[in-house]
Structures are given as structure tokens and as C-alpha cells.
Amino acid sequence: SKYNIYDIYGITIEDMRYFPFAETEFGDFYCIDLNNDKIVLWQHETEKVIKICDSFNHLLKLIKR
């Protein structure tokens, strides 16, 4: 395919190590850091990254609570 997730959703994340998997209502994205598998929040206005948790499994455990 000639399209990828960045093209489909119009995401402008410059650092391709962050793979988005969910969008917030404010236009930010939850991403997997492909270098270390941590879950981060990429803020679209500032392009800052905030660590959420250490892994996708950890995120699922947090959601289950």
C-alpha cells in the first residue's frame, strides 16, 4: 500500500519512532515508542511526548482497574 497511518489520519509526527494507536478528543495521540515499547502521549500543539507507562500490557492493566 502506498498509504500509512500517518497519511490516513493526517498525523504530523516528525519522529517516526512513535507509532500512534489512539487519538484523544483534543487531537493528541497515544503512541508506542518503537525504541523501547513505552506508551507515550504525543501532544500535537507542542510536539512534546509524555510517558504514560512502560508497556502496552501495563496500559491494559491500568485500563482494567
Side-chain angles (χ1 to χ4, degrees), residues 14-50:
E14 296 289 327
D15 192 339
M16 297 295 275
R17 75 178 173 156
Y18 299 116
F19 184 80
F21 64 88
E23 184 176 8
T24 70
E25 62 189 74
F26 304 109
D28 301 330
F29 288 91
Y30 289 102
C31 302
I32 298 173
D33 185 331
L34 298 175
N35 287 344
N36 56 28
D37 295 330
K38 294 186 184 316
I39 303 301
V40 298
L41 178 67
W42 181 80
Q43 298 177 316
H44 77 282
E45 290 178 351
T46 61
E47 296 188 8
K48 289 186 179 180
V49 175
I50 299 169

Side-chain angles (χ1 to χ4, degrees), residues 1-4 7:
S1 171
K2 64 181 179 176
Y3 298 105
N4 62 40
D7 297 329

